[in-house]
């Protein structure tokens, strides 16, 4: 690593790279405590403030790639941060840490559900749970969409995508084949 | 064996199509799971909702679909199929990106994909709502949760648990859904 010993001006580069175990444990903690979402915020605190593994600029650049590429943003973020710090092994350690607690949780609850799905009480409880989960999904959609609902270009793309998917009932791949080139043309970089 | 390959192909494809986060593939997932694996919309919505109670990334309930279809082996196949393809792609592109630096096209791709992803999420809301919001009790609970989560910092997990309890009582005593 860097042999720069300057006292002031300590950057993310000067911090020794973390062990794989440290990467795994830090992301495991996020994976275990992030009930109710907001994982990117937890990752931001860990990477920038708590361990100073990334500078704020590096974090923003990594976040941009995470959001552009397919896959879950929080998982992509863990992958890219792990890769930057410790290569492929770091990417695997961070990602496994992030998904293991939630994976264990859904499997245990899911198995209980599969065993007792037709139990009348389970169905009663899940009716309200599913209604609230729908409200949650709608509110996330509104929040993410808030900036876009003001721009005609975005509203047209949102509406066209919805119609192709839910009304015309095209399969997802065809919706993307139709919409991605149109949207990319509309948002092409200005020369 | 065939069913495991089918699971791998289905979730591998969804992994690569998950633009703007996993929620964008919900409507497609619901359709494909019914057509190929006979998972009813109600079961889909129940498992999706259980997943919202879990910590960590919000699409981990895909494992439960794998378990539902083919036991623990099915869950493992889905874990690899849903996370590996997009992860490999993201790692490769991430490394190239660090070399060539920021380009106006990256921003253009993100700007273009965002509204598509929001449109797909709206389709997801519609798909989930068709199975979950089916009468006065569920309409009220969904609307109430939407407003509370939109305008307060109340943790959605408590909202969902509370709605489960309140919903059970209301449905039991009114007979409505």
């Amino acid at each position: 690593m860097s042999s720069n010993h300057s006292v002031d001006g300590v950057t993310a580069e000067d911090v020794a790279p973390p062990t794989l175990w440290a990467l795994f444990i830090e992301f495991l903690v996020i994976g275990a405590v992030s009930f109710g979402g907001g994982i990117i915020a937890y990752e931001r605190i860990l990477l920038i403030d708590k361990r100073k593994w990334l500078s704020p600029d590096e974090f923003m650049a990594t976040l941009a790639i995470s959001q552009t590429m397919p896959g879950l943003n929080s998982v992509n973020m863990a992958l890219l941060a792990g890769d930057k710090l410790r290569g492929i092994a770091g990417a695997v350690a961070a990602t496994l840490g992030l998904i293991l607690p939630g994976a264990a949780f859904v499997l245990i609850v899911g198995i209980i559900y599969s065993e007792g799905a037709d139990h009348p009480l389970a169905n009663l409880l899940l009716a309200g749970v599913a209604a609230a989960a729908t409200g949650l999904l709608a509110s996330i959609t509104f929040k993410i969409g808030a900036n876009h609902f003001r721009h005609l270009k975005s509203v047209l793309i949102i509406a066209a995508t919805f119609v192709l998917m839910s009304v015309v009932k095209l399969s997802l791949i065809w919706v993307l084949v139709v919409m991605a080139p149109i949207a990319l043309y509309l948002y092409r970089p200005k020369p | 064996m065939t069913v495991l390959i089918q699971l791998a192909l289905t979730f591998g494809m969804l992994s690569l199509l998950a633009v703007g986060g996993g929620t964008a593939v919900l409507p497609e997932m619901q359709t494909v799971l019914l057509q190929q694996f006979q998972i009813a919309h109600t079961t889909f919505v129940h498992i999706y909702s259980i997943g919202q109670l879990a910590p960590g990334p919000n699409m981990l309930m895909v494992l439960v679909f794998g378990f539902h279809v083919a036991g623990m082996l099915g869950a493992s196949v889905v874990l690899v199929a849903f996370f590996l393809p997009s992860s490999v792609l993201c790692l490769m592109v991430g490394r190239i990106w660090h070399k060539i630096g920021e380009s106006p096209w990256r921003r253009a791709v993100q700007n273009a994909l965002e509204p598509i992803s929001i449109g797909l999420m709206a389709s997801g809301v519609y798909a989930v709502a068709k199975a979950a919001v089916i009468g006065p009790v569920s309409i009220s609970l969904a609307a109430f949760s939407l407003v509370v989560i939109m305008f307060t910092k109340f943790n959605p997990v408590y909202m969902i648990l509370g709605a489960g309890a309140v919903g059970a009582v209301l449905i039991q005593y009114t007979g409505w859904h």
Side-chain angles (χ1 to χ4, degrees):
Chain A
M1 276 309 286
S2 167
S3 57
N4 177 3
H5 289 290
S6 66
V7 180
D8 43 357
V10 174
T11 68
E13 288 295 312
D14 295 317
V15 180
T19 62
L20 292 176
W21 182 248
L23 263 175
F24 175 76
I25 292 294
E26 290 288 9
F27 278 95
L28 186 79
V29 170
I30 295 179
V33 301
S34 54
F35 284 95
I39 307 181
I40 294 286
Y42 287 98
E43 289 178 333
R44 192 191 159 84
I45 292 167
L46 166 70
L47 293 166
I48 300 181
D49 303 327
K50 187 176 165 200
R51 302 295 292 248
K52 300 189 171 35
W53 283 338
L54 297 182
S55 70
D57 280 351
E58 287 170 330
F59 180 86
M60 290 315 289
T62 310
L63 180 62
I65 301 168
S66 306
Q67 290 170 331
T68 309
M69 297 312 294
L72 314 187
N73 297 340
S74 57
V75 173
N76 285 348
M77 186 76 217
L79 265 172
L80 292 173
D83 184 44
K84 181 172 183 304
L85 293 162
R86 288 300 309 265
I88 299 289
V92 173
T95 308
L96 280 183
L98 186 66
I99 63 182
L100 275 181
F105 181 104
V106 293
L107 273 179
I108 292 166
V109 181
I111 290 168
I112 296 169
Y113 169 77
S114 294
E115 304 287 310
D118 287 325
H119 194 281
L121 180 63
N123 277 323
L124 273 181
L125 285 169
L126 283 167
V129 165
T134 309
L136 169 64
L137 183 58
S139 71
I140 294 172
T141 308
F142 276 125
K143 275 183 190 167
I144 296 181
N147 291 324
H148 291 268
F149 296 140
R150 284 182 233 121
H151 302 288
L152 183 63
K153 244 184 338 191
S154 290
V155 171
L156 291 176
I157 296 172
I158 293 169
T161 305
F162 178 84
V163 168
L164 290 181
M165 192 77 212
S166 291
V167 182
V168 185
K169 295 189 190 301
L170 286 186
S171 75
L172 176 57
I173 191 156
W174 285 110
V175 174
L176 292 176
V177 165
V178 173
M179 290 309 299
I182 295 174
L184 205 52
Y185 176 76
L186 290 175
Y187 281 102
R188 69 192 178 280
K190 301 282 178 294
Chain B
M1 194 60 205
T2 355
V3 82
L4 291 179
I5 295 170
Q6 242 185 326
L7 273 176
L9 290 176
T10 301
F11 282 91
M13 182 67 109
L14 290 172
S15 172
L16 291 174
L17 296 180
V19 293
T23 330
V25 297
L26 272 183
E28 178 81 357
M29 200 183 282
Q30 192 187 44
T31 309
V32 174
L33 285 176
L34 176 65
Q35 284 171 357
Q36 298 198 1
F37 303 104
Q38 289 77 49
I39 292 181
H41 284 346
T42 313
T43 309
F44 177 87
V45 167
H46 283 172
I47 293 175
Y48 168 73
S49 314
I50 290 170
Q52 298 313 297
L53 297 171
N58 68 346
M59 293 292 282
L60 286 170
M61 86 297 173
V62 291
L63 302 185
V64 183
F65 296 126
F67 179 82
H68 210 78
V69 172
M72 282 312 273
L73 203 53
S76 318
V77 167
V78 167
L79 179 70
V80 174
F82 192 66
F83 287 100
L84 196 61
S86 63
S87 297
V88 170
L89 184 65
C90 181
L91 266 187
M92 292 189 328
V93 172
R95 287 185 165 194
I96 295 168
W97 225 280
H98 280 299
K99 287 206 187 81
I100 62 172
E102 180 71 9
S103 114
W105 277 99
R106 203 230 23 98
R107 190 67 230 179
V109 170
Q110 191 184 348
N111 284 343
L113 290 181
E114 263 174 23
I116 294 178
S117 158
I118 295 161
L120 293 173
M121 287 176 74
S123 289
V125 174
Y126 178 67
V128 172
K130 265 200 300 190
V133 182
I134 46 178
V137 172
S138 47
I139 291 174
S140 318
L141 286 173
F144 184 68
S145 316
L146 168 61
V147 171
V148 169
I149 297 167
M150 272 290 271
F151 298 108
T152 71
K153 291 199 182 290
F154 197 66
N155 191 322
V157 169
Y158 300 129
M159 188 71 236
I160 293 174
L161 288 173
V166 172
V169 172
L170 287 178
I171 292 167
Q172 178 69 27
Y173 288 105
T174 63
W176 295 331
H177 273 270

